[in-house]
Amino acid sequence: MIYTKPRGLIYILRQDYYIRPPGKTQYRVFLYLFLGGTDMKHVGLYIRVSTEEQTENYSIPEQRERLENFCKAKDWLVVDEYIDGGYSGAKLDRPAVQKMITDAGTGTIDTVLVWKLDRLSRSQKDMLYLIEDVFIPNSVDFVSLNESLDTGTAFGRAMIGILSAFAQLEREQIKERTMMGRIARAKSGLVMGPTAPYGYRYVDGQLIVDEYEASIVREIYDLYLQGYGMEKVSNMLYEKMQLTSASGYAAVRRILSRPTYAGLVHYSGEVYPGQHEKIIDVDMWKRVQEKREHSRNYQRGKRQKHLLTGMIYCKRCGAKYAYHVHSGNNYYDRYMCYSVCRSRKELIKDPHCDNTKYLAAELEQLIIAQIKELALDESKFNKVIQKRIEAPDPTQAMQKQIKEIDKQINNFMDLYQYGKVPVETINERIEKLTQEKSAIEKSIRELNIKPIPKREDYEPTLSRVDSIFETGSADEQRAAVRNLIDHIDIDGENVVIHWVFE
C-alpha cells in the first residue's frame, strides 16, 4: 500500500510525531508499526518556480505530479511539500528551503526529492552546502529525477565528489579570470574601486580632478616634506578636510601612500601609468615614499623624547645608540652604544664593544651645526649629491635590451606586411619578445631607482633651520632632523652623517 494522499494521513502522522517526540527514531517506529512493517522512505518534495518560468514544464502542478508519480513507483511516503513560488534559485534565503533545512535536522524527512538540480539551487556552491553540510550529516538522501542522481547509492555519492571537484575548479577559474581582468584593467591605466580617491570624482566612469580637494592633497604632501608628521598634518587640515578625530591620521596616511595622485595605478605589487590626470608629480610622490621608509613615522617619533634617539648606530658592533639619563644633572646625559650601556639585553650586539660615549648636548650641537652649514652652503649639498650624479646607471644595459627587443618586434611587423613569414610564427615570436620586455621592465621597477634630488625639494626645511633650532618646539626640531638625516654612524671620534638625499 502506498500512502501519498490524502493529506489527512500526513496530518495524523505529524500529529502523532509532535505529540510524542523526541524525533527521528520514535517517529520511524510509529510509521513502521502504522504501515504494517513497511520500510518506506519519508520524502520531502521540493518545488520551485521563478516568475519568468511559469511555463507548462516548470509549473508547480507539473513538478508536483511528476514527483508524486515517482514516489508511487518507488513506494515512498510523501511527508511534506516545500514550495517556493516566484523565487530565484541564485540564493538560499527562500522560506521553503529554510523550512526544509530545519526538517532535515529534526528528522521529519529522510529524503529530499526534486525534479531537476536547478530547482533546488542554481549555485554549485549552495548545492554542495546543502548536500554535504545539511543532508549527509543528518542522514538525508537527495534525489534528482532529471539527472538520475541519488546520494543514497554509491554512484550518487561518487557524483557528489565529482560535482565538488568541478565546483572547486569553477571557483579557481573565476578567481583566475577576475585576477586577469583586474591586471588588464590596471595595465590599461584604469583605477580600481567603486569609490573615487580623495581629490577626484568619477564622471562617466573616468577619474576627474576635484580642484578644491586636490589643493588639499598638494598641501598634505608639501607639509609632510617640510618635516611635519602625519598626525600634525591632519590636525592642521582638520577643518579643510572635514575630518573626524578618528579618521584624520588614517586619511592623511592613505593620501600619502597612494600612487594615484602621481598619475599611476597600483595593483598586485606593480605600478602602471594611469589614464587619469595627476595631482602631484612622480618625483614628489617618490620623495614622500622615501621619507616614509627611511625616516621615523610620527608614532615612533612621539616615543623618542630626544633629538637623535633612534638615528645613531655604532659603527663597531652595529647596535643602536641609546640616550642614557644622568640621575643628577641632565647636562651629563649621554648617547652611548646599547652594547656598552647594556640597558636592553635584546639590543646588545657585542658585549665587548668599547665605542665612545658622547655627552648628549655636545653631540646634538655638533649635528645641528652640520645642518646649519648645509643650509648656508649650497656647495655642500651639491657635493653630497655629486656622488649620485656620477654613479653609473644600473638600468643602462636593461634599457639597451628593451630597445633591441622593440627593434626586433618592428622587424617582425615588416615581415608580416610583406607576407614572407606565416602569421602564426610572427604572433608566437612577438608574444615571446613582449614577455621578455615585460620581465625586463619589471626588473627595472624592482630596482627602485631614486630620482636625483634637488636642493629646492628640501628648501622648506633648510630655509627655516635657524628659527627651528632657536625657537622651535622639540617636535619641530626632531622633524627637521629626520627630514634631512637618514642615520648617523659613530666610530670613536668619527661622527658621520648620512643625509637622506645621498
Side-chain angles (χ1 to χ4, degrees), residues 38-79:
T38 305
D39 187 14
M40 281 189 171
K41 283 183 176 290
H42 315 126
V43 183
L45 308 181
Y46 181 78
I47 299 168
R48 182 187 65 81
V49 61
S50 64
T51 306
E52 294 79 9
E53 295 170 337
Q54 296 285 359
T55 62
E56 182 179 354
N57 290 336
Y58 281 90
S59 67
I60 291 174
E62 180 69 20
Q63 290 184 54
R64 180 191 287 122
E65 181 180 353
R66 295 187 183 193
L67 297 178
E68 288 179 349
N69 288 339
F70 183 81
C71 288
K72 289 178 182 178
K74 290 284 188 178
D75 200 24
W76 291 354
L77 175 67
V78 177
V79 175

Side-chain angles (χ1 to χ4, degrees), residues 24-243:
K24 197 166 187 176
T25 303
Q26 188 173 359
Y27 178 56
R28 283 185 174 177
V29 169
F30 166 74
L31 287 177
Y32 182 82
L33 295 173
F34 185 86
L35 297 171
T38 305
D39 187 14
M40 281 189 171
K41 283 183 176 290
H42 315 126
V43 183
L45 308 181
Y46 181 78
I47 299 168
R48 182 187 65 81
V49 61
S50 64
T51 306
E52 294 79 9
E53 295 170 337
Q54 296 285 359
T55 62
E56 182 179 354
N57 290 336
Y58 281 90
S59 67
I60 291 174
E62 180 69 20
Q63 290 184 54
R64 180 191 287 122
E65 181 180 353
R66 295 187 183 193
L67 297 178
E68 288 179 349
N69 288 339
F70 183 81
C71 288
K72 289 178 182 178
K74 290 284 188 178
D75 200 24
W76 291 354
L77 175 67
V78 177
V79 175
D80 207 341
E81 295 176 352
Y82 307 96
I83 301 175
D84 281 319
Y87 285 89
S88 167
K91 296 181 180 180
L92 293 181
D93 55 348
R94 292 167 260 155
V97 164
Q98 296 304 314
K99 183 176 185 299
M100 178 187 70
I101 291 173
T102 301
D103 289 351
T106 59
T108 306
I109 56 175
D110 59 21
T111 303
V112 172
L113 178 63
V114 297
W115 177 46
K116 291 181 67 176
L117 283 173
D118 64 6
R119 296 302 87 199
L120 185 58
S121 177
R122 291 188 179 276
S123 165
Q124 273 192 337
K125 179 182 177 182
D126 291 341
M127 180 69 72
L128 288 171
Y129 162 74
L130 289 171
I131 293 174
E132 295 181 341
D133 296 343
V134 177
F135 297 156
I136 292 177
N138 291 292
S139 301
V140 174
D141 294 333
F142 173 70
V143 181
S144 175
L145 293 188
N146 194 67
E147 290 82 6
S148 299
L149 176 66
D150 183 352
T151 61
T153 66
F155 180 78
R157 288 188 290 273
M159 284 299 296
I160 295 304
I162 295 173
L163 283 175
S164 298
F166 275 106
Q168 179 64 28
L169 176 62
E170 182 183 23
R171 286 193 291 270
E172 293 296 330
Q173 288 178 333
I174 291 172
K175 182 180 179 181
E176 184 178 339
R177 286 195 297 269
T178 301
M179 179 69 73
M180 290 176 63
R182 289 176 176 174
I183 292 174
R185 180 180 174 86
K187 284 184 175 180
S188 66
L190 296 174
V191 177
M192 305 289 175
T195 305
Y198 187 87
Y200 289 96
R201 292 287 182 271
Y202 272 125
V203 178
D204 297 328
Q206 298 294 321
L207 277 185
I208 304 299
V209 173
D210 181 306
E211 289 302 333
Y212 175 74
E213 291 185 356
S215 67
I216 296 176
V217 170
R218 296 186 191 100
E219 191 172 357
I220 288 172
Y221 275 78
D222 287 338
L223 290 171
Y224 187 73
L225 288 175
Q226 289 176 31
Y228 294 101
M230 294 184 194
E231 190 165 333
K232 181 69 173 178
V233 172
S234 68
N235 291 337
M236 294 168 72
L237 301 177
Y238 183 87
E239 292 184 1
K240 279 188 179 181
M241 296 183 69
Q242 299 180 345
L243 299 170

Side-chain angles (χ1 to χ4, degrees), residues 225 283 287 452-461 483:
L225 288 175
D283 284 348
R287 282 191 286 115
I452 301 298
K454 302 174 183 177
R455 182 181 170 86
E456 52 262 34
D457 296 336
Y458 301 91
E459 197 62 36
T461 300
N483 192 35

